Amino acid sequence: PSAATGGNFFVAANLTLSGTITPGTGTTTFEGSSAQSITGTPVGNAALGNVSFEGAGTKSFTGAYASTSNFIIQSTSGAVSAPSGLLYISGNYVNNSGTDGFTSSNTGTTTFSGTSAQTIGGTLTDAARLGTTTFEGAGTKTFVAANASTSNFIVDSTSGTVYAPSDYLSITNNYRNNSGTDGFAHNSA
């Protein structure tokens, strides 16, 4: 990895994590033009902090778990493969890299866990669908993308209101709303 600059950290090669990570307010940018792996188990409250993916190389989480604040896939990024188990996102999610920008394991879960408002945007269909998606944490979760696809869609009892995409939401398996009548709402934006 290259040196941290101004609170930001730029990684052009593989990253192996061990021990405790204390994220700041900066962003870790995975910018490799060749394939990159993120090895280790960055869990806890937004253990990786804000992450951004750019550079043509694929990016793969090789562990079963990861935790971030904002999770941004830039239009210049190769495909980003989610962890095989759980990906916790406590901030915003954007996939600007199209249908090949994000791949989620058939057994993996993406959890939006923010206690403050979160937005979910960019390409969220076809190969870039979110897989099993869970919402928890008191913050509202708003799809700013017009369309989204998931395999399972679960609103936990701890979740703030989840606002659906404005055009369509495709759920190929199960839908569960444990948050009551205010847990899931149409987004007419």
Side-chain angles (χ1 to χ4, degrees):
S2 62
T5 307
N8 297 318
F9 190 60
F10 298 89
V11 182
N14 296 328
L15 178 65
T16 301
L17 303 165
S18 62
T20 302
I21 300 171
T22 305
T25 57
T27 299
T28 300
T29 300
F30 295 92
E31 60 182 1
S33 58
S34 298
Q36 291 181 267
S37 64
I38 303 143
T39 305
T41 306
V43 294
N45 187 18
L48 284 175
N50 298 314
V51 294
S52 179
F53 301 93
E54 51 189 64
T58 59
K59 284 78 171 158
S60 300
F61 287 89
T62 61
Y65 307 100
S67 176
T68 72
S69 293
N70 293 322
F71 192 97
I72 311 297
I73 304 170
Q74 304 294 347
S75 61
T76 57
S77 180
V80 177
S81 296
S84 61
L86 297 170
L87 171 61
Y88 285 96
I89 301 172
S90 64
N92 299 321
Y93 172 92
V94 179
N95 173 10
N96 288 323
S97 192
T99 57
D100 295 327
F102 181 75
T103 56
S104 178
S105 160
N106 288 332
T107 60
T109 299
T110 301
T111 298
F112 293 94
S113 59
T115 56
S116 297
Q118 292 180 266
T119 59
I120 305 156
T123 303
L124 302 166
T125 58
D126 300 318
R129 70 187 193 142
L130 291 172
T132 295
T133 308
T134 302
F135 303 91
E136 55 188 46
T140 59
K141 283 80 173 156
T142 303
F143 282 86
V144 294
N147 307 305
S149 299
T150 71
S151 59
N152 295 293
F153 192 92
I154 302 160
V155 182
D156 187 77
S157 63
T158 65
S159 181
T161 302
V162 177
Y163 292 96
S166 58
D167 286 349
Y168 77 82
L169 172 64
S170 172
I171 303 168
T172 57
N173 291 321
N174 300 303
Y175 165 82
R176 186 171 64 226
N177 178 5
N178 296 326
S179 192
T181 57
D182 293 331
F184 186 65
H186 178 66
N187 182 354
S188 58

